[in-house]
Amino acid sequence: MAIPGGYRFKIPFDDVFPQGCYVMSVERAKDYNNGKPKDAVDAVSGLPVWAVQVTDPSAKGKNTGQVVKIAATYQPEPLPAIPGTPFRPAAFEDMSAVPYVRDGWVSYTLWAKAMRSALPVEQGKPAAKSAAA
């Protein structure tokens, strides 16, 4: 039995980001066809795709950036920052990875169904969450 192209392998958040991650930005993802950018649309759900740029404190070397894609009708909302800092800790729910080969190297695209704040929840207040539609 062959695994179909574009298959999304489930992967736990803690396996991808063992020390958590911090959101840098959220913007509409782009697809490039013949060098021309267009807004990306998820092939599975048909929803717009949003690129969440995060930094990974457990990454070694100069490249600590990673993109997690979320398919949702509306742009995921910015998460609250740690008071007094620009850092916005996040956790992603229902993560998956899609492997691909580019220039002879195997890489992967990370997907999530939703992102939520990784800040401790104050008593009596719900956790901040930016869910997919």
Side-chain angles (χ1 to χ4, degrees):
M1 177 176 144
I3 297 172
Y7 183 81
R8 295 180 182 181
F9 292 90
K10 300 292 182 201
I11 187 166
F13 173 79
D14 290 332
D15 286 356
V16 179
F17 300 112
Q19 294 180 7
C21 66
Y22 298 94
V23 173
M24 307 305 289
S25 65
V26 180
E27 58 189 32
R28 187 69 192 267
K30 300 290 183 189
D31 279 335
Y32 292 87
N33 191 4
N34 298 325
K36 296 180 182 179
K38 69 175 195 170
D39 289 343
V41 175
D42 181 27
V44 174
S45 68
L47 294 171
V49 177
W50 303 93
V52 182
Q53 179 70 44
V54 301
T55 187
D56 178 0
S58 68
K60 304 293 184 232
K62 294 180 182 179
N63 187 6
T64 64
Q66 181 69 54
V67 172
V68 178
K69 293 183 175 182
I70 297 176
T73 304
Y74 302 104
Q75 180 175 356
E77 295 180 23
L79 300 171
I82 296 171
T85 76
F87 300 110
R88 298 175 183 281
F92 292 95
E93 297 177 4
D94 197 17
M95 288 192 77
S96 57
V98 178
Y100 63 91
V101 177
R102 181 186 297 162
D103 300 327
W105 292 91
V106 175
S107 193
Y108 53 88
T109 301
L110 292 175
W111 287 86
K113 295 283 185 190
M115 85 175 159
R116 62 176 170 78
S117 176
L119 286 174
V121 178
E122 291 183 40
Q123 192 126 11
K125 287 188 176 183
K129 183 175 178 181
S130 185

